[in-house]
Amino acid sequence: MAKLDEPLRKVLGDRTAKVLDKGLDLQTVGDLLHHYPRRYATRGELTPLNDLQDGEHVTVMAEVVKVQGRTLSRSPGYVLEITVTDGTGELKLSFFGRKGSYRPERELSPGTRGLFAGKISTYRPRSGRVQRQLAHPQYKVVAARDAEEAAQEWADEIIPIYPSTKGLDIETIGKSVGVLLDNLDGLGLGDDPLPEPIRRRYGFVGLREAYEGIHRPRDWEELGRARKRLKWDEAFVLQIALARRRRAASALPAKPRPPVADGLLDAFDARLPFELTKGQRQVGDEIAADLAREHPMHRLLQGDVGAGKTIVALRAMLQVVDGGGQAALLAPTEVLAQQHYRSITGMLGELAQAGQIGGADHATRVALLTGSQGAKARKEALLDVASGAAGIVVGTHALLQGHVQFADLGLVVVDEQHRFGVEQRDALREKVSGGRPHVLVMTATPIPRTVAMTVFGDLETSVLGQLPEGRSEIRTHVVPPEKPAYFARIWERIKEEARQGRQIYIVCPRIGEQEGAEDDAPVVAEDEAERRSPLGIMELLPRLEGELLAGLRIGVLHGKLHPDEKDAVMRRFAAGELDVLLATTVIEVGVDVPNATVMVIMDADRFGVSQLHQLRGRVGRGTLPGLCLLVTDAEPGSGSRERLDAVASTTDGFRLSRLDLEQRREGDVLGAAQAGRSSSLRLLTLQRDEDVIRAAREEATRLVDEDPDLAGHPALADELAALLDEDRADYLEKA
């Protein structure tokens, strides 16, 4: 018999193997054995024929009393009709197809007793009363002498329901798996990859028993034992990969940047006009300790919008500058990069004016690098970065270009990590010769894969759960289609806020047909994919100016504007010269206008959870409470509507990330896939199995510490090699 990596065509034949490959990308024996049922069913208790209800899934025991076939009049074809009775009533079994094509014609003759399972439906013949039928029922012929026992066994049998696709039915998958299971004794499974001491410690069944129990369990207990073992296998092999990665990362050199007394950081703390929160001080201490080590920091800084992440990151950057290094802040958009640049230079004051009149003695410079800069400004910034004169460098993707050279890059801060791929972050880290920079990733709502990495223990996490003094609450409400009065009230509320001198954001999913789609267009939910096109700001603007908000000062901001225009609009809004800012998601992160109190998000169901949370974080940034209105035409009960209701129910970023994780899955923890595509996890889920994951991490860490190369565990090494294909191995190397 074949081994797990043997092609299926050698075991099942070319025809079946091609169907499995084309339909589900199953190519080897191992692929098919690991294609687990998505759920299980039973045929259920026996139901008397006189108790049958339309639409009910039933199992009946009855005797065949009549068999007849007829040709269909409206379409070519043939129907075999078999009438059965149990003494309480009659039921018709219908099998559609070609004459002579069905086994029932040979097996279900009058007088035969059998079990029949399926869904009850009704039909009315041209003449006569309504009749009940089972179309294409499952059936099993039973002998009279053991009918009761056979009936119970058949009714209780656990039926695996496999993930399938068009052109590949569940029966074909089940039969193919059965061929493998019937030959498991000869299957070259080799040694069990899970070390025997661990199997004993946790009471796991062997691998052969697990495969048998997951695919054709005799009872629910056997299925439970199989799932427990195979879940652990997924967690354990994955944790072995991550433990080896952590071990390799701990061996990489990074220049330590311990705190320096009376340096820039101390001077900055002394000039702060407010007290740091307890959370900011605690997280700052964690990061400071990481920066002082000789190995690269890799830490996630999670904090709700407005929790003060930027201050924490700036203090870390100043610690690195005090240590003689440079820090780079990577922002996803030019609007945000410019906002960070203004904010940082404003907070530092004379501490950012090295070489200028009025600059502090031990000041540094802050450089800004974006793709749209003029040649002169760009040249000056590049020189400051390359010479080391700029201790802090703020930029967009422009920082990743090959000609951008740092004198001594010590820290990379990534703002809103979901906007950058692993390849992009790796490009910035490669600008360090002879080691790696420390890395700090900031986010308000981690993407599913990031939540996964924190649960799997591969990403150190610091959480800012406390809002600074003076920050106000944000109330969020869904404006649904079934309540049109709510929609009309929006515009009245906006005018009321504007009359009190407050400001409002209105966000649309796109610019409009004339201007084309926004670069960072939101994802449309699958269940809403057939709906109208999402609303564009250029389509809404005439209505706002003409009727809905006539008389208010409205500014427009989107990604296709020239950077100077975008900056001018933002400055006018920040200065209070505009009442309303009509925008796309370019304002999603970093925009800070304390006087803005209302955020209206049109077609809110077209945005992801993370985007919605970020957008509403633009209001309530001062002493005034914030209001976020999620306008949607998604119907109650739809997936999109449930997502909006969940966003309205909490402002906790991690809770929303868990919601995102539940809906989209974690993607591939070992690769670049997002939203559940190509996941290496089949049974394991982060929502339910954190205890399994943590226990597997402890065992994997212990084993890798004792045997880093897995020399004493060849079967486990083979499993790891199968899991880590070239792409995943490369991803782990860079991640």
Side-chain angles (χ1 to χ4, degrees):
M1 182 59 185
K3 293 185 177 181
L4 288 179
D5 60 357
E6 191 81 12
L8 281 172
R9 58 183 171 77
K10 292 189 176 182
V11 185
L12 303 175
D14 284 340
R15 183 177 178 182
T16 303
K18 284 180 180 177
V19 172
L20 292 169
D21 186 8
K22 181 181 179 181
L24 293 168
D25 196 27
L26 303 175
Q27 300 167 353
T28 68
V29 169
D31 289 342
L32 184 52
L33 283 177
H34 293 128
H35 186 71
Y36 303 132
R38 59 183 171 86
R39 65 182 179 87
Y40 299 84
T42 56
R43 297 183 180 92
E45 296 182 0
L46 297 180
T47 307
L49 295 190
N50 62 348
D51 291 342
L52 299 180
Q53 300 294 324
D54 190 27
E56 197 176 17
H57 289 269
V58 300
T59 298
V60 300
M61 179 182 286
E63 183 176 308
V64 177
V65 294
K66 184 179 180 182
V67 179
Q68 67 178 24
R70 60 183 175 87
T71 301
L72 297 175
S73 57
R74 294 187 179 181
S75 61
Y78 178 80
V79 59
L80 177 69
E81 295 178 329
I82 298 176
T83 304
V84 298
T85 182
D86 67 348
T88 69
E90 287 191 349
L91 177 67
K92 188 156 287 186
L93 315 177
S94 301
F95 298 89
F96 297 88
R98 295 190 306 275
K99 187 174 183 179
S101 64
Y102 281 102
R103 287 186 296 117
E105 290 180 272
R106 300 187 298 274
E107 296 177 342
L108 299 178
S109 57
T112 302
R113 199 170 191 195
L115 290 156
F116 307 96
K119 182 180 179 180
I120 293 293
S121 60
T122 57
Y123 73 101
R124 183 187 295 274
R126 288 185 176 180
S127 60
R129 56 188 175 81
V130 172
Q131 295 189 12
R132 293 169 301 187
Q133 71 169 352
L134 290 179
H136 288 284
Q138 294 178 304
Y139 70 91
K140 181 178 182 179
V141 175
V142 296
R145 54 183 171 79
D146 59 358
E148 294 302 323
E149 183 179 349
Q152 196 58 52
E153 287 180 1
W154 200 68
D156 291 344
E157 183 182 344
I158 299 174
I159 304 166
I161 309 296
Y162 288 93
S164 57
T165 186
K166 187 176 181 181
L168 179 58
D169 57 57
I170 293 173
E171 187 176 4
T172 299
I173 300 170
K175 286 181 177 178
S176 300
V177 171
V179 171
L180 301 187
L181 295 177
D182 289 340
N183 292 277
L184 273 183
D185 286 335
L187 183 62
L189 293 177
D191 295 332
D192 196 320
L194 191 60
E196 197 269 338
I198 295 178
R199 295 203 306 272
R200 268 203 329 269
R201 192 151 50 241
Y202 292 91
F204 293 132
V205 298
L207 190 56
R208 184 196 185 288
E209 294 92 330
Y211 286 141
E212 187 75 41
I214 197 80
H215 287 293
R216 51 185 185 196
R218 288 167 293 187
D219 52 48
W220 297 105
E221 289 75 16
E222 183 181 21
L223 175 59
R225 291 191 295 270
R227 288 179 62 87
K228 179 182 176 184
R229 163 64 203 267
L230 294 170
K231 266 189 184 184
W232 180 276
D233 280 13
E234 287 185 6
F236 183 66
V237 178
L238 184 55
Q239 288 289 12
I240 289 288
L242 297 177
R244 295 182 76 192
R245 179 187 116 134
R246 287 192 296 269
R247 186 179 179 86
S250 68
L252 290 172
K255 191 170 181 179
R257 314 282 181 173
V260 174
D262 300 322
L264 269 172
L265 178 55
D266 284 349
F268 174 71
D269 285 347
R271 61 176 279 124
L272 275 176
F274 53 81
E275 285 275 329
L276 294 173
T277 66
K278 181 181 178 182
Q280 286 173 321
R281 290 194 298 271
Q282 180 180 332
V283 169
D285 290 343
E286 293 171 353
I287 295 172
D290 282 353
L291 294 175
R293 297 192 177 103
E294 296 180 348
H295 304 293
M297 171 181 74
H298 190 201
R299 183 172 288 275
L300 171 73
L301 174 57
Q302 193 274 334
D304 277 333
V305 177
K309 298 185 294 292
T310 305
I311 288 284
V312 172
L314 178 54
R315 295 184 73 248
M317 290 190 279
L318 292 175
Q319 179 175 327
V320 170
V321 175
D322 280 339
Q326 294 170 286
L329 173 56
L330 187 59
T333 66
E334 290 201 357
V335 169
L336 181 54
Q338 290 165 343
Q339 177 88 18
H340 276 313
Y341 176 75
R342 287 196 295 268
S343 175
I344 289 172
T345 53
M347 286 189 288
L348 288 176
E350 68 273 12
L351 299 177
Q353 299 171 4
Q356 300 178 32
I357 296 174
D361 292 339
H362 50 306
T364 187
R365 293 182 194 170
V366 181
L368 174 66
L369 265 175
T370 65
S372 65
Q373 273 179 314
K376 182 179 178 182
R378 185 173 182 78
K379 184 177 180 180
E380 289 178 1
L382 287 171
L383 285 173
D384 281 349
V385 175
S387 67
I392 296 175
V393 185
V394 180
T396 58
H397 298 76
L399 286 179
L400 308 175
Q401 296 174 358
H403 62 271
V404 179
Q405 298 297 320
F406 289 81
D408 183 8
L409 180 59
L411 171 64
V412 176
V413 178
V414 182
D415 194 11
E416 293 311 322
Q417 116 283 6
H418 64 280
R419 298 295 196 91
F420 297 97
V422 169
E423 297 283 350
Q424 293 169 314
R425 301 200 295 270
D426 187 60
L428 195 49
R429 292 193 303 202
E430 289 302 316
K431 294 182 181 292
V432 178
S433 58
R436 287 290 187 99
H438 300 285
V439 177
L440 179 66
V441 173
M442 300 194 299
T443 188
T445 48
I447 57 176
R449 184 182 180 277
T450 301
V451 178
M453 297 309 286
T454 62
V455 174
F456 276 99
D458 199 53
L459 190 61
E460 296 297 328
T461 308
S462 295
V463 178
L464 284 174
Q466 178 184 3
L467 290 178
E469 286 292 327
R471 286 304 303 268
S472 303
E473 68 167 344
I474 304 172
R475 290 176 293 115
T476 306
H477 300 286
V478 177
V479 180
E482 65 269 21
K483 296 183 178 178
Y486 284 22
F487 184 76
R489 173 64 183 142
I490 291 174
W491 316 110
E492 292 303 317
R493 179 62 185 269
I494 288 175
K495 287 184 278 191
E496 290 168 8
E497 293 288 314
R499 282 196 291 269
Q500 297 180 63
R502 299 166 188 171
Q503 293 166 281
I504 300 93
Y505 296 100
I506 301 175
V507 176
C508 294
R510 52 196 287 272
I511 302 170
E513 292 180 6
Q514 294 179 340
E515 283 73 21
E518 185 68 88
D519 290 338
D520 53 351
V523 176
V524 178
E526 288 183 12
D527 61 345
E528 308 296 343
E530 299 301 320
R531 292 168 48 208
R532 61 168 173 77
S533 297
L535 185 65
I537 58 176
M538 303 312 293
E539 297 158 2
L540 181 60
L541 181 61
R543 287 195 64 198
L544 296 182
E545 293 177 327
E547 51 174 306
L548 298 175
L549 300 177
L552 296 189
R553 300 168 297 174
I554 302 173
V556 174
L557 186 68
H558 57 74
K560 301 296 182 182
L561 292 175
H562 188 278
D564 290 344
E565 292 182 76
K566 286 190 281 189
D567 193 44
V569 172
M570 275 310 307
R571 286 178 180 274
R572 289 185 65 202
F573 189 67
E577 298 171 9
L578 296 172
D579 302 308
V580 176
L581 185 62
L582 177 61
T584 58
T585 54
V586 292
I587 62 149
E588 179 183 336
V589 288
V591 176
D592 188 3
V593 179
N595 191 47
T597 56
V598 177
M599 166 67 68
V600 179
I601 304 176
M602 308 299 294
D603 281 339
D605 50 285
R606 308 300 181 112
F607 297 87
V609 169
S610 180
Q611 284 182 312
L612 293 172
H613 187 54
Q614 289 285 3
L615 286 167
R616 73 170 162 194
R618 300 309 105 210
V619 296
R621 301 182 72 84
T623 57
L624 299 170
L627 174 65
C628 178
L629 301 174
L630 307 176
V631 182
T632 180
D633 59 5
E635 295 297 327
S638 66
S640 296
R641 184 66 173 273
E642 288 175 2
R643 189 172 69 250
L644 295 184
D645 290 339
V647 171
S649 71
T650 181
T651 56
D652 185 323
F654 251 127
R655 278 186 61 190
L656 290 173
S657 297
R658 291 289 181 132
L659 166 74
D660 208 11
L661 177 65
E662 185 177 333
Q663 293 189 341
R664 294 167 54 199
R665 293 295 303 272
E666 53 274 355
D668 189 357
V669 178
L670 295 181
Q674 281 294 334
R677 296 187 297 272
S678 304
S679 178
S680 52
L681 306 181
R682 295 178 176 89
L683 297 175
L684 198 70
T685 63
L686 272 67
Q687 297 293 84
R688 298 189 297 269
D689 300 317
E690 286 192 38
D691 54 340
V692 174
I693 292 166
R694 291 195 180 98
R697 183 189 185 197
E698 292 176 9
E699 296 288 355
T701 302
R702 186 182 302 118
L703 188 147
V704 169
D705 285 344
E706 295 170 355
D707 184 6
D709 298 325
L710 306 181
H713 303 84
L716 179 58
D718 289 343
E719 281 285 307
L720 186 63
L723 179 69
L724 290 182
D725 57 23
E726 186 175 341
D727 289 341
R728 283 179 174 147
D730 184 53
Y731 184 92
L732 274 185
E733 186 72 24
K734 295 175 179 178

